[in-house]
Amino acid sequence: MRIELPWGETFLKLDLPDTWDVIQPQPSNPQPGTGAHELEIIKAALRQPAGTTPLSEKRLGGKKIIIIVDDNTRPTPVSRFFHLVTEELTAAGGETADMLVIPALGIHTPMTEAEMAEKIGAANLARIPWENHRAFDPDANAFMGNTRRGTPVSLNRRLAEADLIVLIGLIEPHLMAGFGGGLKNILPGVASAETIGRHHEILTEPPYQANRVGRLPEQNSFRLDLEECRGMIRADIFCVNVALNHNRTVIACFAGDPIAAHRAGIRFTLDRSGLEMNRQVDGVIVNAHPMDINFKQSMKCVGNALPALKPGGTVMGFLRAEKGLDDIPEPKRSPLPLPVVKKILRLIGPSRVYAFLNLTRKGLNIEERFLYYYTMQLIRQYELLFFVPSLTAETVKALFFFNGFTHTPQDVIRAGVKRLGPRASVAVFPEGGATFPVIR
């Protein structure tokens, strides 16, 4: 049997054993959309926002407006509709001189002017000021308060000066927050490094759920914690979240109050991106598309697919990762071989993984720490076989958590056959960066 996986402008073609029971899950409610052009979809959402008045009806003369857009790690085509948002703002009396655009970097690499021009459009960048968020600069962030879970919230100082904050982003399955979008543009998007690190430690607390993809907000302490930042900000907050199809075209938009609009977007995303299955399988074939920019973002497809997998199952992952490790420093070689690490992690159990990580991998930054924590929880339970052409064999050895360096995509399948045998059940997720299984 042959399958095809989207890969940049082309496809990876893979041959699977005819004896495998291959499942290709489909959405339970595909939500084909209205057929309207994406600009009409966004205009309609801006005209009828959830839980608040339209931007065009707010009195914005002389008001300071912060526009926070997701950064270039997300495929959101902001440049195609950014002008619709600013037109609404100017209709309400807002002046471009009183607007400031900030990318929701968290602790990602700062964006260049060329990258920002690509993100919001060169013409928009030429008329509206912008600046990068500085998570590691204490003077650039202001303490706002503590959440009920003890996260000290320090946010970009510009938010304390704002009268209106507009959040522009994407609703997609998310490894930690359940779904992207909403107030995530603020925390971790424009939070201090210390706040981000403390917030992420929620993943290391009982019940030790490192992977929370598709989890509803009410069931996810990570999402609920970040949403408490809303009560710490005096400014009005307006959210513009979009959903995309496989061509990265906007098929839905959810605008308005950052909680109400986000919840509506979750309902849509569950129907469209949640792929129904009636049982778990022995192995999964998962492709990172459309989250292809770097290794960290591409890895999210693995977490997205895990609900489909039996305990001890095998992940066959195809991670394009255009920029390789990108903002993750080249790792040092692990002093312990993978089989030894796996055995230790299984012996100590999920509650002690974080302590083991801090003991064996000292000096990690925030991004590294939680990538390693997540992957240690993975290798404790599953077998990982990856094709990542942007990484060298030496880097793969240093990362230590997946098996060997594969020269071709078909090598991954061969290794999967060796691991699973000829009679395995295998689910395929060609757009694993934007979909997730729902076991009915």
Side-chain angles (χ1 to χ4, degrees):
M1 177 182 183
R2 172 162 285 191
I3 61 170
E4 294 186 348
L5 306 179
W7 197 261
E9 300 301 317
T10 183
F11 292 87
L12 291 182
K13 297 180 180 180
L14 302 172
D15 293 315
L16 311 184
D18 291 334
T19 53
W20 273 3
D21 177 15
V22 178
I23 301 166
Q24 300 187 59
Q26 301 298 317
S28 57
N29 186 3
Q31 296 278 352
T34 62
H37 188 275
E38 60 183 4
L39 295 186
E40 293 304 317
I41 291 170
I42 293 166
K43 285 179 183 178
L46 292 173
R47 283 194 297 265
Q48 294 187 310
T52 188
T53 57
L55 287 175
S56 60
E57 295 180 11
K58 298 181 185 291
R59 297 179 180 179
L60 299 178
K63 300 292 180 66
K64 293 185 178 180
I65 303 166
I66 303 294
I67 305 172
I68 304 175
V69 299
D70 57 10
D71 68 7
N72 60 342
T73 65
R74 300 297 189 273
T76 319
V78 179
S79 63
R80 300 207 295 262
F81 63 85
F82 188 84
H83 66 285
L84 297 181
V85 177
T86 57
E87 285 169 6
E88 293 279 305
L89 296 172
T90 54
E95 300 285 344
T96 55
D98 293 326
M99 300 178 194
L100 178 68
V101 180
I102 303 175
L105 294 173
I107 53 175
H108 296 167
T109 303
M111 291 180 68
T112 65
E113 188 162 346
E115 289 170 334
M116 277 301 294
E118 184 179 1
K119 171 57 72 168
I120 71 169
N124 295 316
L125 194 68
R127 63 192 179 90
I128 301 176
W130 78 281
E131 65 183 31
N132 277 309
H133 172 59
R134 305 195 305 276
F136 295 96
D137 182 356
D139 293 334
N141 300 284
F143 178 70
M144 302 288 189
N146 292 298
T147 69
R148 285 172 291 181
R149 293 170 181 82
T151 302
V153 178
S154 291
L155 304 175
N156 191 301
R157 285 189 178 276
R158 299 289 195 182
L159 273 59
E161 305 164 1
D163 298 294
L164 173 67
I165 300 168
V166 180
L167 310 176
I168 302 178
L170 173 69
I171 295 188
E172 89 282 16
H174 191 272
L175 189 68
M176 303 172 192
F179 296 89
L183 288 162
K184 196 171 174 295
N185 265 33
I186 293 179
L187 202 172
V190 292
S192 71
E194 180 189 2
T195 293
I196 294 169
R198 290 286 296 275
H199 171 59
H200 279 55
E201 284 184 345
I202 288 173
L203 302 174
T204 71
E205 299 170 356
Y208 310 106
Q209 293 169 331
N211 182 25
R212 304 183 181 204
V213 65
R215 190 174 293 275
L216 296 175
E218 296 75 17
Q219 303 164 353
N220 189 351
S221 56
F222 189 90
R223 165 62 71 172
L224 294 176
D225 189 65
L226 73 87
E227 288 186 339
E228 287 190 39
C229 73
R230 176 67 187 93
M232 304 176 187
I233 300 170
R234 71 166 184 87
D236 187 12
I237 302 178
F238 191 95
C239 180
V240 182
N241 280 170
V242 298
L244 308 178
N245 66 9
H246 65 282
N247 293 319
R248 302 185 184 183
T249 299
V250 174
I251 55 171
C253 181
F254 310 92
D257 175 83
I259 301 292
H262 186 250
R263 298 299 188 266
I266 286 176
R267 290 191 290 272
F268 178 90
T269 305
L270 274 169
D271 283 343
R272 183 170 183 88
S273 299
L275 308 183
E276 273 206 338
M277 298 178 62
N278 59 16
R279 60 188 171 93
Q280 291 182 311
V281 292
D282 303 313
V284 295
I285 294 171
V286 59
N287 182 38
H289 180 82
M291 307 301 282
D292 292 326
I293 189 166
N294 58 30
F295 181 69
K296 179 176 60 185
Q297 296 300 323
S298 294
M299 269 293 289
K300 291 180 178 179
C301 75
V302 179
N304 289 355
L306 288 184
L309 201 56
K310 294 177 183 177
T314 297
V315 177
M316 291 162 277
F318 298 84
L319 283 59
R320 188 159 172 250
E322 297 170 31
K323 294 186 177 182
L325 291 183
D326 197 11
D327 52 1
I328 298 174
E330 189 75 20
K332 297 178 181 178
R333 186 77 177 268
S334 171
L336 300 173
L338 178 59
V340 174
V341 174
K342 288 173 77 78
K343 187 172 183 178
I344 292 171
L345 292 172
R346 286 170 179 167
L347 284 172
I348 65 177
S351 65
R352 294 186 176 90
V353 170
Y354 194 53
F356 176 73
L357 168 65
N358 290 331
L359 181 67
T360 58
R361 291 261 171 172
K362 298 182 184 298
L364 298 177
N365 66 32
I366 297 164
E367 291 280 68
E368 292 174 291
R369 188 183 308 135
F370 286 96
L371 175 63
Y372 276 99
Y373 173 72
Y374 164 62
T375 51
M376 280 184 170
Q377 292 286 17
L378 281 183
I379 64 176
R380 191 179 61 80
Q381 302 174 75
Y382 308 105
E383 190 77 14
L384 307 182
L385 309 169
F386 289 169
F387 174 67
V388 194
S390 58
L391 301 186
T392 65
E394 198 57 39
T395 298
V396 169
K397 288 178 183 177
L399 283 169
F400 85 85
F401 57 78
F402 57 95
N403 280 339
F405 183 77
T406 53
H407 294 279
T408 72
Q410 196 62 41
D411 286 342
V412 175
I413 302 302
R414 292 189 188 98
V417 174
K418 186 175 180 180
R419 167 79 181 171
L420 295 170
R423 299 288 177 185
S425 57
V426 176
V428 181
F429 300 96
E431 297 165 10
T435 59
F436 60 98
V438 178
I439 308 298
R440 299 295 185 191

